[in-house]
Structures are given as C-alpha cells and as structure tokens.
C-alpha cells in the first residue's frame, strides 16, 4: 500500500523504485515494501535546483517475516518542471558521481564521515541518501547565521574534505576535473543569468543603502562600477588556482549542512550536504563562500584569524597523516581570501533575499534578461528594507573594508578600464 502526500512525489518514486533501492543496497532480493509515504525534505526557499523528498518506508526482509522494519531516506531528484529545470539540467550528474565514485575513494583513506551515506539508486540523476534527521542532525535557521562554534566545526570539516580530495586527485586526477567542472561562474551558460541578475539588482540596492551612510559614501562609485564589472571578475577569480586546487562543495552555506548537539546544547558534529555545484579550484573558495553567506557579524569581525589558523592546521595534519609532504600556510589562505574579493562582494550584495526565513522561493524572475529586470529589482528592494540597511549593511561594509575587499576590487576595475 502506498501513501503519498498530494503533489509531493514524482512519478518514478513508487514501490518498485524503493524496492530496487533496498534490494540492491543490501543485496537481498527478498525485501518487500509494505508501505511508504513521502513529504518535502526542505521548506520552500531552501532548494532551487533539486527536489529532495523524505520517504519513510515500512518493509520486510522476507515476505514470510512477521517483523516490519522502518527506514527513512532522502530521495533527491532534478526539478520536474519550469524554466529552472531547463537551465539546471547540465548540473545534475556531478552529485551522483560524487557519491558513487568520489566518496568511496575518501572512505578508503579515512574513517571520518563528512557527508550522508548514500544508497543504491536505480536512476542516474537521482541520489538516495540516509535521513540524517533520524541520527539527531538538525538544520540551523538560515536567518540566524552561524556562530563561532559552528564555524569552527565547519572549517575543520571543510579542511578535511579538501585535504582528502587533494590526495584523491593525485591518484585519479580526471575524476575531480570531471565532477569539478565550473557549472555557474563561466560564460555561455543559461543558468549564469541568475548570478548576473543577483549582481545587477543586489549592487543597485547596496549602492542605494550605502548612499545613506556617510562613512562609506566613498565606495558608492566602486559599487556602481561593479554592476558592470563584477561578473567578469567572478569568472576569473573562481577559475582553478595556479597554486593549489581541491574539490570544493561550491555552495557552502547554512542550508547545505546539518549539525548535531550534545546534551548541553553544544554543537558537536556536522555533515555537509548538496554537491550539485562542485568546483575544482582553490579550497579558499568554500571558506569565503561560508564566511560571507553564513557566518555572524561577530565571526567576520573577530573570528577570522582563529578560523583560518584552524583550517591550515587541520588541512596540513590530514595531509601529513596521509603521507603527503605538501602544506599550506596562513599567509596563503589570506592571499587567496583577498583574490576572492569579488565573491565576497557578490555574496554580500546578492544573498539578502535568500538568507531570511521569509526568503525567495522561486528563481524564475532572476532568469530574465537585463531589459526585463523590474520584477527582480522589486524583489531585492523588498529585502533591502530599513532594518537591513540600517543594521546589517554598515557591518558588512565595515567587514569588507577591514579585509581589503574594496581595495582589491578598486585595483581590478582600474586595470580593466
């Protein structure tokens, strides 16, 4: 018997699909599904280029068994309809290959679990994962942002993933280059229109807010110039580094990680989620993305030195444990942070409609061309409200100034012009 929430499941998600998952995963052709039900695994505004469903399954290991067992899985497939499906179609192979090829490689190197366990999937573009909620992992509200304790745990986890990928790349370079091919920040892709829209509309709104803050008026021209320059600077900054490259999660913000807490409420473990936007490039890409999309103002203002040192220590220790002589330095990470200033500005300007509880849940308005941009700009202005402009914007501007974002961008734009 099948139990489905109306409209929640695609046609392929049926008893036959689930039976094949479990039979192949556990190599038991006697498994039968007694019942199942599906529901959304994430609220609107938390996913855009995939459809994750939580599927709760009652099953037997053998038809004659009297005991009914239970398992909860996350079934994650491509969007089923709409313009976002058309532009995102080229993205969907990376995550299945990540779980089927890359994760077994890192599991051969280390026992630490960084990502959810994956299950056999009968469909090429559909990923089937364990439901981390059953193990006590939780999502953090993206509006809350992540404090220093959460940030420390992320930096250690990211350093471990990056170091392992560095070793995997020595043994199988074609794997990382294949799954890490740039999927958004490159010219000629339809999905890049979304980023270009965020740049145009976010920077227009950020410029308008900055005009009201006397201390930062000196950056208004730079912000306006960036409207036409930032896309090209992003494309250049996110290319593979000339120094050191690893696999990057590529989308390392709050919604793509889950945390576990001890009895005292202290964060003690985490898992990384969502590997559709994997990138092969400087490992500092992920760090900059996390800092400017997900960390609190307090972390950006006072915690970066500690976090970068923690990252370097963890990365180097992992490489040493795996008999690699290469190392990175704190100075290297800070120099890469500066080189990735275009990403920092993009995230500050572009993320406000997505980093709140009442966030945007539909990407369609951001797929329009520039001359059809009025709807997208109106969306941005709704989130650049008085409270955001008076409280958050001055802090973002001060933090970007302190790490040299404006100085670096000024130099880049001058060189381009």
């Amino acid at each position: 018997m099948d139990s489905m929430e109306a409209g929640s499941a695609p046609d392929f998600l049926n008893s036959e699909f689930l039976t094949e998952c479990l039979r192949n995963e556990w190599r038991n052709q006697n498994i039968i599904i007694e019942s199942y039900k599906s529901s959304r695994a994430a609220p609107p505004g938390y996913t855009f280029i995939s459809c994750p469903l939580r599927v709760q399954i009652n099953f037997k290991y053998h038809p004659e068994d009297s005991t009914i067992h239970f398992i909860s899985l996350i079934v994650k497939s491509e969007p089923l309809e709409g313009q976002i499906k058309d532009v995102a179609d080229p993205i969907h192979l990376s995550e299945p290959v990540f779980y089927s090829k890359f994760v077994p490689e890192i599991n051969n190197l280390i026992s630490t679990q960084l990502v959810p366990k994956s299950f056999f999937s009968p469909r090429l573009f559909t990923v089937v994962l364990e439901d981390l909620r059953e193990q006590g992992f939780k999502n953090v509200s993206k509006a809350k942002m992540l404090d220093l304790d959460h940030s420390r745990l992320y930096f250690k986890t990211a350093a471990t993933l990056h170091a392992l990928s560095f070793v995997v790349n020595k043994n199988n370079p074609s794997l990382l280059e294949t799954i890490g091919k740039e999927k958004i920040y490159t010219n000629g892709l339809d999905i890049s229109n979304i980023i270009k829209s965020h740049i145009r509309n976010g920077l227009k709104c950020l410029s308008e807010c900055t005009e009201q803050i006397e201390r930062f008026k000196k950056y208004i021209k730079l912000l306006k110039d960036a409207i036409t320059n930032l896309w090209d600077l992003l494309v250049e900054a996110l290319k593979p580094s000339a120094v050191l490259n690893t696999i990057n999660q590529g989308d390392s913000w709050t919604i793509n990680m889950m945390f576990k807490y001890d009895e005292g409420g202290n964060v003690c473990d985490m898992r990384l989620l969502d590997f559709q936007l994997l990138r092969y490039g400087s490992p500092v890409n992920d760090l900059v993305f996390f800092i400017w999309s997900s960390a609190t103002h307090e972390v950006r203002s006072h915690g970066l030195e500690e976090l970068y040192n923690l990252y370097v220590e963890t990365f180097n220790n992992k490489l040493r444990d795996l008999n690699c002589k290469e190392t990175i330095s704190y100075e290297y990470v800070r120099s890469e942070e500066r080189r990735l200033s275009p990403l920092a500005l993009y995230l500050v300007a572009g993320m406000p409609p997505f980093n709140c509880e009442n966030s945007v849940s539909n990407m369609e308005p951001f797929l329009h061309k520039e001359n059809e941009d009025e709807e997208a700009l109106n969306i941005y202005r709704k989130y650049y409200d008085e409270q955001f402009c008076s409280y958050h914007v001055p802090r973002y501007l001060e933090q970007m100034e302190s790490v040299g974002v404006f100085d670096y961008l000024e130099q880049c734009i001058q060189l381009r012009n």
Side-chain angles (χ1 to χ4, degrees):
M1 178 172 55
D2 306 341
S3 174
M4 296 279 188
E5 294 185 1
S8 67
D11 291 340
F12 76 82
L13 185 54
N14 52 34
S15 183
E16 289 74 18
F17 175 90
L18 297 171
T19 300
E20 193 172 351
C21 286
L22 297 188
R23 284 181 175 180
N24 280 276
E25 180 66 28
W26 293 326
R27 297 177 182 175
N28 177 357
Q29 294 303 306
N30 295 312
I31 288 175
I32 63 168
I33 305 293
E34 286 288 298
S35 64
Y36 68 95
K37 65 178 181 179
S38 70
S39 59
R40 293 186 68 128
Y46 274 67
T47 61
F48 297 101
I49 55 177
S50 66
C51 297
L53 298 172
R54 175 170 286 107
V55 185
Q56 298 173 304
I57 307 168
N58 296 304
F59 69 98
K60 292 181 178 180
Y61 286 112
H62 192 280
E64 306 301 321
D65 288 349
S66 59
T67 302
I68 295 178
H69 303 272
F70 172 83
I71 190 170
S72 183
L73 298 174
I74 302 298
V75 177
K76 186 176 176 184
S77 69
E78 68 275 18
L80 302 177
E81 59 186 11
Q83 196 175 0
I84 190 67
K85 176 188 184 306
D86 297 332
V87 301
D89 270 347
I91 288 174
H92 296 293
L93 186 59
S94 285
E95 189 164 40
V97 175
F98 173 84
Y99 279 108
S100 65
K101 303 292 185 184
F102 178 76
V103 172
E105 293 263 7
I106 65 173
N107 287 342
N108 289 333
L109 298 172
I110 195 170
S111 60
T112 302
Q113 192 170 354
L114 306 174
V115 303
K117 169 182 163 51
S118 65
F119 282 66
F120 173 84
S121 173
R123 297 181 84 241
L124 178 62
F125 295 120
T126 298
V127 174
V128 180
L129 304 169
E130 64 178 337
D131 184 357
L132 291 171
R133 195 174 67 171
E134 297 295 309
Q135 299 180 32
F137 286 89
K138 301 176 182 179
N139 292 107
V140 176
S141 165
K142 58 183 177 178
K144 184 179 179 182
M145 311 301 270
L146 298 174
D147 63 15
L148 188 57
D149 286 340
H150 288 82
S151 299
R152 287 189 190 107
L153 190 52
Y154 169 74
F155 268 62
K156 290 179 70 173
T157 303
T160 302
L161 175 66
H162 295 157
L164 290 169
S165 78
F166 183 82
V167 177
V168 170
N169 191 53
K170 283 177 169 286
N171 302 324
N172 189 357
S174 62
L175 173 60
L176 264 64
E177 290 172 7
T178 299
I179 63 175
K181 185 178 179 181
E182 182 58 55
K183 300 165 185 68
I184 290 185
Y185 300 94
T186 188
N187 290 306
L189 300 180
D190 289 340
I191 198 167
S192 301
N193 288 329
I194 292 174
I195 307 301
K196 293 174 183 178
S197 177
H198 296 337
I199 289 171
R200 290 192 302 272
N201 298 296
L203 283 171
K204 285 176 185 175
C205 291
L206 183 60
S207 299
E208 291 168 0
C209 287
T210 305
E211 286 179 333
Q212 308 305 313
I213 308 170
E214 188 64 36
R215 181 187 159 188
F216 298 108
K217 282 186 176 181
K218 60 186 175 182
Y219 297 124
I220 293 170
K221 183 180 184 303
L222 174 64
L223 293 174
K224 291 181 177 179
D225 287 345
I227 294 173
T228 55
N229 286 282
L230 190 59
W231 167 255
D232 290 332
L233 295 177
L234 270 173
V235 169
E236 188 61 32
L238 291 170
K239 289 178 180 178
S241 165
V243 180
L244 182 145
N245 296 290
T246 68
I247 205 67
N248 279 248
Q249 186 180 8
D251 199 15
S252 50
W253 64 305
T254 311
I255 65 171
N256 292 328
M257 47 196 76
M258 293 180 75
F259 296 92
K260 185 183 277 191
Y261 301 86
D262 62 22
E263 293 180 356
N266 303 303
V267 65
C268 60
D269 199 3
M270 75 172 295
R271 297 286 185 271
L272 300 173
L273 314 174
D274 198 328
F275 298 92
Q276 293 175 304
L277 299 181
L278 289 170
R279 172 182 299 110
Y280 181 67
S282 168
V284 185
N285 291 339
D286 272 350
L287 310 186
V288 169
F289 201 110
F290 174 87
I291 288 163
W292 295 98
S293 69
S294 306
T296 62
H297 291 305
E298 179 71 15
V299 168
R300 278 189 297 274
S301 297
H302 304 293
L304 294 187
E305 182 176 356
E306 176 189 341
L307 290 173
Y308 285 138
N309 276 309
L310 175 63
Y311 178 87
V312 169
E313 179 185 9
T314 306
F315 187 95
N316 289 338
N317 285 344
K318 294 298 179 187
L319 286 187
R320 187 183 65 241
D321 292 344
L322 294 167
N323 299 315
C324 281
K325 296 179 180 179
E326 292 86 351
T327 60
I328 60 172
S329 66
Y330 175 83
E331 291 72 24
Y332 159 78
V333 174
R334 294 314 294 246
S335 68
E336 284 293 279
E337 175 196 48
R338 180 173 172 81
R339 189 179 66 81
L340 289 160
S341 292
L343 181 59
L345 178 59
Y346 162 67
L347 292 166
V348 169
M351 287 295 285
F354 307 97
N355 258 354
C356 55
E357 285 308 315
N358 186 29
S359 64
V360 167
S361 59
N362 178 16
M363 282 288 190
E364 304 287 335
F366 304 107
L367 285 164
H368 297 317
K369 300 298 183 183
E370 189 168 357
N371 60 356
E372 302 168 351
D373 228 13
E374 185 176 354
E375 181 182 2
L377 182 57
N378 287 336
I379 291 171
Y380 263 85
R381 285 193 169 131
K382 172 184 172 184
Y383 291 93
Y384 272 84
D385 57 16
E386 183 178 351
Q387 195 272 338
F388 183 80
C389 288
S390 62
Y391 179 80
H392 290 288
V393 168
R395 286 162 177 78
Y396 279 123
L397 294 172
E398 181 178 19
Q399 292 149 13
M400 286 194 291
E401 183 181 63
S402 70
V403 297
V405 168
F406 294 127
D407 288 343
Y408 183 84
L409 290 171
E410 188 80 60
Q411 293 172 18
C412 289
I413 291 174
Q414 286 177 359
L415 286 172
R416 289 179 59 82
N417 297 330

